[in-house]
Amino acid sequence: MSVFTLSQAEREKHLLPQLAELTAHHRENSEGYERILSSLGIARDAEFASIADLPWLPVRMFKTHDLRSIPESEIFKTLTSSGTTGAGASRIYLDKDAAGAQTKQLGATLQEVLGNERLPMLMVDTIGIIKNRRSFSARGAGVLGMANFGRKHTYVLDENDHPDVEAVKTFLATYGDKPFLIFGFTFMVWQYLYEVAREHELDLSNGILIHSGGWKKLIDRAVDNTEFRRRFKEDTGLTRIHNYYGMIEQIGTVFLEGPSGNSLYCPDFADVVIRNPETWEEQPVGEPGVIEVVSTLPRSYPGHVLLTEDLGVCNGIDDGDWPGKHFSVLGRLPKAEARGCSDTFQGAAA
């Protein structure tokens, strides 16, 4: 069942009451969140006319404040972001219900491009990234979360972070004649899969690549999204490529690239608002601004309306591969912390 079905008008009608209820829920159950909203002068009985009217938290708040809406005794899993500066890492608290919901909705989102069958899977990472099952980095959480949607997992990197070319060749010889899943963070996919596949003339034409994690290192190599897709197609035969945008502070919600590329789409339980960085009003289509991400999933912590540190632009509404807004990420805000998941990777050179 698709989760890319709601027009923007239907989405607003469907999500707004749920998000308003979540705002009230988090005020009731998170003392820190209640203090923040009260300090902003937002009354407990405030009404919101649109999704864009909902109060947002800067995503950085999760680095400096311990925000949760569940008792400590109900914490099932704690996730940490890949913070690289003195601001520290975000800490996200999940109870069992929240952990189950985020896995279920991530699966529903990815089924749009993967289908219902669990496919053999190439993981462009090392198995060492998921050794600690209770407390994960952003990268480890991403790898483990995606592992649920594949089978016969083969890791592209050995435990010393070097490409295991023979393992990849064996995987392709066994499973490469039918659809298979590839997952990794963008820079690692380029360095440890694309460059290895090109060098060894590997055929990835039956693969479906899901990737994320920032473009900074690739832009330095003059590789943008269009070039990334072109080179994979020409040199490896891989054409089914889907970038996604998401963050550990809104775990389980991903904004998935459509089949035609270069635009990200909101699943039915989420939305995006592009805000003017001076007035904080919503920007019209085509005008860049700061990305706000909205999701009905976060119930164990107040992460349902978050202002990111990324710049983006809404490319259109109800006129793309799937209904609703579709948008592009343009990069980090000036002076914002560079904390892309893949950019924290310090692996050996291929």
Side-chain angles (χ1 to χ4, degrees):
M1 183 176 173
S2 177
V3 293
F4 292 93
T5 66
L6 295 178
S7 70
Q8 194 56 35
E10 292 169 330
R11 187 181 308 267
E12 189 86 32
K13 182 179 179 182
H14 180 67
L15 294 187
L16 182 58
Q18 295 182 58
L19 292 163
E21 187 276 327
L22 270 175
T23 300
H25 164 79
H26 291 307
R27 289 193 84 151
E28 189 67 31
N29 292 281
S30 170
E31 186 178 335
Y33 184 68
E34 155 61 19
R35 281 202 306 269
I36 292 166
L37 262 56
S38 292
S39 71
L40 294 172
I42 299 168
R44 279 180 167 269
D45 59 355
E47 296 187 359
F48 308 105
S50 69
I51 289 173
D53 286 345
L54 291 159
W56 41 262
L57 288 186
V59 72
R60 182 171 287 263
M61 294 290 285
F62 291 93
K63 297 183 188 301
T64 56
H65 292 68
D66 208 33
L67 295 170
R68 54 184 166 86
S69 305
I70 52 174
E72 190 170 353
S73 60
E74 291 181 17
I75 296 173
F76 173 66
K77 189 178 288 186
T78 303
L79 306 176
T80 58
S81 69
S82 51
T84 53
T85 75
S90 295
R91 294 180 67 81
I92 303 302
Y93 300 99
L94 303 179
D95 59 12
K96 283 192 175 182
D97 287 345
Q102 59 97 355
T103 300
K104 177 183 176 184
Q105 293 299 72
L106 178 60
T109 304
L110 296 176
Q111 274 185 9
E112 188 72 30
V113 296
L114 298 179
N116 295 321
E117 184 183 351
R118 290 175 67 189
L119 301 175
M121 187 170 188
L122 269 181
M123 308 287 280
V124 189
D125 216 308
T126 170
I127 196 168
I129 195 66
I130 59 170
K131 287 289 175 69
N132 184 347
R133 288 294 182 113
R134 179 159 174 84
S135 182
F136 289 115
S137 68
R139 194 172 124 222
V143 168
L144 192 72
M146 284 298 303
N148 292 321
F149 307 111
R151 60 185 177 88
K152 306 293 184 182
H153 304 90
T154 293
Y155 287 82
V156 172
L157 301 182
D158 63 23
E159 294 210 4
N160 296 314
D161 295 334
H162 293 287
D164 189 341
V165 179
E166 291 308 310
V168 177
K169 287 182 175 178
T170 300
F171 176 92
L172 292 173
T174 308
Y175 304 110
D177 61 339
K178 293 181 180 177
F180 60 92
L181 172 58
I182 307 167
F183 172 74
F185 292 99
T186 305
F187 176 72
M188 294 174 68
V189 167
W190 183 261
Q191 183 169 348
Y192 299 113
L193 183 64
Y194 167 75
E195 292 182 358
V196 169
R198 183 188 62 187
E199 179 183 348
H200 295 274
E201 298 183 343
L202 304 180
D203 179 6
L204 303 178
S205 57
N206 284 316
I208 304 169
L209 170 62
I210 307 290
H211 71 103
S212 183
W215 289 90
K216 184 177 183 297
K217 290 186 179 181
L218 289 186
I219 296 301
D220 293 344
R221 295 183 179 204
V223 177
D224 61 9
N225 194 16
T226 300
E227 181 73 357
F228 183 93
R229 296 171 71 94
R230 182 186 73 79
R231 297 269 289 276
F232 258 110
K233 178 180 179 180
E234 291 183 3
D235 294 336
T236 73
L238 181 65
T239 58
R240 284 175 287 180
I241 297 174
H242 298 273
N243 188 20
Y244 74 84
Y245 177 68
M247 60 204 65
I248 206 162
E249 293 86 358
Q250 216 171 68
I251 191 76
T253 303
V254 297
F255 300 86
L256 192 62
E257 186 177 35
S260 51
N262 291 317
S263 237
L264 299 157
Y265 291 80
C266 309
D268 289 347
F269 53 88
D271 202 7
V272 65
V273 178
I274 307 296
R275 293 196 179 275
N276 183 305
E278 295 181 358
T279 67
W280 301 114
E281 294 298 313
E282 184 171 11
Q283 293 282 59
V285 170
E287 289 292 324
V290 185
I291 299 172
E292 175 189 301
V293 288
V294 177
S295 171
T296 59
L297 285 189
R299 194 165 187 88
S300 59
Y301 65 99
H304 57 308
V305 188
L306 298 179
L307 190 75
T308 74
E309 296 178 342
D310 295 315
L311 289 169
V313 62
C314 179
N315 298 322
I317 301 174
D318 297 330
D319 59 358
D321 294 339
W322 299 317
K325 294 176 184 173
H326 56 103
F327 68 103
S328 296
V329 180
L330 303 177
R332 303 291 288 164
L333 276 170
K335 298 184 181 178
E337 178 185 6
R339 58 121 183 89
C341 294
S342 67
D343 293 341
T344 66
F345 182 70
Q346 298 296 325

